[in-house]
Amino acid sequence: MHTVAVLALDGVIPFDLSAPVDTFGWARLPDGRQPYRLRVCSVREEVSAGAFTVRAPYGLEALAEADTIILPGVAQPLEELPPGVAGALRAAAANGTRIASICVGAFLLAATGLLDGLRATTHWIAAPDLARRHPRVTVDANVLYVDNGQFLTSAGAAAALDMCLHMIRSDFGSAVAAHAARMSVMPLEREGGQAQFIVHDLPPAPAGTTLEPLLAWLEDHCDRDLTLAEIAAQAGMSTRTLNRRFREQAGTTPLQWLHRARVRRAQHLLETTAHPVERIAVQTGFGSPTAFRERFRRVVGTSPQAYRRAFRAGV
């Protein structure tokens, strides 16, 4: 099993602590087995978490045995790290352990020097302080999370879930990540500065709405070069009414929804087949490889080939 150690220091932010525990805990392999072993550790047995206290069953020695270490934020992130923490984190990093921070946990990770020369993020309100305190870190406040390979950082609150799902997907593939997202009641489609390297669900429409049959038809025919007029004709309404219904029921436009459906199908084909990009462009209705590559990069944040290299082997 892949061991995830969550380091709870005094003043730990409760959400930052619980988000990785719950998200990694929901992950299941296709045969039902749990892929992650979770351990909450600290420098002492009991730490404050604001309105309550947390009893951590493991000490700093658990960091040496972890495959992934998570650093939740703390109430006073500018304070110095407790004795032994920086050394334990540096030793784990030297052994190749993946280390990720949540929200202002980036201050803890940066204090070790492990983020020097790298790009990182944190809660937007704390980003200026992180940049001033650690000038060798390139702070980007406009993204949900940053993956440098061995070291990851996330923005505040729900961005921790995005980052954890991304790590699950990198470790065990899109199906396992999608299951964890569903069990966490976490939508995979996230509007924000950072493109998501996990499977994108299509913008939802409630079951039983007037658009439900049309959405199913669009998914089945997303390989065709459909126009707004053709979609409206299929729906039996004017283009103006169609646009209004989509805004009301799906929160987007018909063509935007169709583009997402095409990208979603392209992700699946890139993950599960060896089809060349040119063929996938045709199969997903983009018309040309150039148009496909441009749209894919705009939505996913990387090229189709890079996406395939990152995720095909893990599925």
Side-chain angles (χ1 to χ4, degrees):
M1 297 178 73
H2 184 116
T3 300
V4 177
V6 184
L7 180 58
L9 299 181
D10 200 46
V12 65
I13 297 172
F15 182 88
D16 291 6
L17 175 63
S18 62
V21 172
D22 281 349
T23 308
F24 286 110
W26 279 121
R28 292 293 184 275
L29 297 176
D31 61 6
R33 289 181 297 121
Q34 290 181 286
Y36 295 102
R37 177 191 297 113
L38 289 155
R39 292 176 174 172
V40 176
C41 55
S42 187
V43 294
R44 61 175 188 265
E45 186 176 348
E46 189 171 283
V47 296
S48 169
F52 55 90
T53 57
V54 174
R55 295 180 65 85
Y58 296 93
L60 289 181
E61 70 279 356
L63 301 183
E65 303 170 359
D67 300 293
T68 295
I69 296 171
I70 306 292
L71 301 178
V74 294
Q76 300 297 329
L78 299 182
E79 293 184 355
E80 291 189 8
L81 291 173
V85 171
L89 291 173
R90 291 192 195 103
N95 288 330
T97 302
R98 180 174 62 186
I99 305 177
S101 66
I102 295 174
C103 194
V104 293
F107 285 82
L108 312 181
L109 185 52
T112 67
L114 294 172
L115 289 180
D116 286 357
L118 299 178
R119 181 166 160 261
T121 193
T122 186
H123 193 292
W124 63 269
I125 203 168
D129 287 336
L130 181 64
R132 281 192 296 268
R133 192 174 182 87
H134 300 282
R136 297 186 64 184
V137 179
T138 301
V139 180
D140 187 345
N142 297 316
V143 294
L144 295 177
Y145 63 87
V146 174
D147 182 355
N148 290 295
Q150 185 180 6
F151 306 115
L152 299 90
T153 54
S154 79
L161 303 179
D162 292 288
M163 183 181 68
C164 290
L165 289 171
H166 166 63
M167 288 191 283
I168 293 171
R169 183 146 193 249
S170 297
D171 294 338
F172 297 103
S174 58
V176 177
H179 172 78
R182 287 193 297 271
M183 296 304 293
S184 301
V185 198
M186 173 66 184
L188 293 178
E189 178 66 28
R190 290 270 290 165
E191 296 297 333
Q194 172 142 348
Q196 304 298 295
F197 289 84
I198 55 176
V199 175
H200 289 269
D201 274 347
L202 297 171
T209 63
T210 57
L211 285 182
E212 191 174 8
L214 179 62
L215 297 184
W217 182 84
L218 283 173
E219 279 201 77
D220 289 341
H221 296 83
C222 68
D223 58 326
R224 290 175 48 187
D225 184 17
L226 296 170
T227 65
L228 183 61
E230 289 173 322
I231 298 172
Q234 175 65 30
M237 60 183 72
S238 67
T239 56
R240 183 176 180 179
T241 300
L242 179 68
N243 276 320
R244 186 178 71 251
R245 295 280 174 83
F246 257 83
R247 286 291 186 188
E248 293 171 350
Q249 299 180 24
T252 187
T253 68
L255 292 181
Q256 287 173 338
W257 197 98
L258 181 60
H259 286 317
R260 293 293 176 129
R262 287 169 171 163
V263 169
R264 177 73 174 84
R265 178 171 292 184
Q267 287 179 295
H268 174 74
L269 292 172
L270 289 166
E271 293 173 7
T272 60
T273 75
H275 297 171
V277 168
E278 291 75 14
R279 180 177 175 184
I280 292 177
V282 174
Q283 290 175 303
T284 52
F286 283 100
S288 74
T290 299
F292 168 51
R293 289 187 179 96
E294 290 178 355
R295 176 63 63 172
F296 192 90
R297 183 178 288 277
R298 191 180 310 165
V299 174
V300 182
T302 190
S303 69
Q305 290 288 15
Y307 181 90
R308 170 173 274 163
R309 286 195 298 270
F311 294 120
R312 188 181 175 211
V315 178

